[in-house]
């Protein structure tokens, strides 16, 4: 899959500045940097889980944000900026963004790690990751006669009866 993404980008006009198989072993790739990658190349439109950096030219921040947000995937991103990094990061529809670092979010165990869109479901790390193991369940029990939580109509004396039943119940627990 990684080789297919690289070959597709090269066929569409991208240039590899660093690339190639590891000498003596075709199962591994050298880190690959692709420049002038077309916006419709697989490496720019799909998730490439390998040592590949694809550089896609955009005219400005607005186009970059729109390009990122148009993708069906949204695992993670990095924003490099002297002044506007957090503001740009907050506009991206992705699960996590590192500002002025490539993968800082993955090194902070207290932050949730996970994506949006087609980048998978669920989280690991942080409170959100722990909640993946929980199955919340809400249970209500009607304890006072003549009242219901699904109606605004109350028979005469229902509020007083509910209050009395609540006070009685609380005094039994004390």
């Amino acid at each position: 899959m990684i080789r297919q993404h690289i070959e597709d980008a090269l066929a569409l006009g991208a240039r590899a500045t660093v690339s190639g198989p590891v000498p003596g072993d075709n199962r591994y790739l050298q880190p690959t940097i692709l420049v002038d990658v077309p916006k419709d190349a697989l490496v720019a439109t799909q998730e490439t889980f390998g040592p590949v950096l694809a550089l896609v030219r955009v005219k400005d921040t607005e186009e970059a944000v729109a390009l990122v947000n148009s993708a069906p995937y949204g695992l993670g991103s990095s924003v490099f900026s002297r002044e506007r990094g957090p503001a740009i990061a907050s506009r991206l529809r992705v699960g996590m963004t590192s500002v002025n670092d490539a993968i800082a979010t993955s090194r902070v165990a207290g932050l949730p790690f996970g994506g949006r869109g087609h980048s998978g479901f669920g989280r690991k790390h942080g409170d959100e990751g722990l909640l993946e193991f929980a199955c919340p369940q809400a249970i209500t029990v009607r304890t006072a006669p003549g009242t219901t939580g699904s109606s605004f109509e109350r028979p005469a004396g229902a509020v007083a009866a509910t209050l009395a039943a609540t006070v009685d119940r609380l005094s039994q627990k004390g």
Side-chain angles (χ1 to χ4, degrees), residues 31-83:
T32 302
I33 299 173
L34 298 168
V35 297
D36 299 325
V37 175
K39 293 177 181 112
D40 60 344
L42 294 176
V43 74
T45 61
Q46 297 183 7
E47 293 178 320
T48 306
F49 292 105
V52 179
L53 175 64
L55 301 176
V56 178
R57 279 191 194 273
V58 293
K59 66 181 177 180
D60 57 22
T61 301
E62 296 308 312
E63 184 181 358
V65 169
L67 186 62
V68 169
N69 290 343
S70 71
Y73 301 99
L75 181 56
S77 63
S78 296
V79 172
F80 291 85
S81 173
R82 287 187 188 102
E83 298 173 7

Side-chain angles (χ1 to χ4, degrees), residues 17 25 29 33-34 37 44 55 85 91 97 102 114 120 122 128 144 148 157-158 161 174:
T17 60
D25 193 341
L29 288 171
I33 299 173
L34 298 168
V37 175
L55 301 176
R91 296 175 55 202
T97 299
E128 291 83 355
T148 175

Side-chain angles (χ1 to χ4, degrees), residues 2-3 6 19-32 50-51:
I2 299 168
R3 287 184 202 286
I6 294 170
S19 184
V22 172
D25 193 341
N26 198 31
R27 296 176 296 169
Y28 300 98
L29 288 171
Q30 296 282 353
T32 302

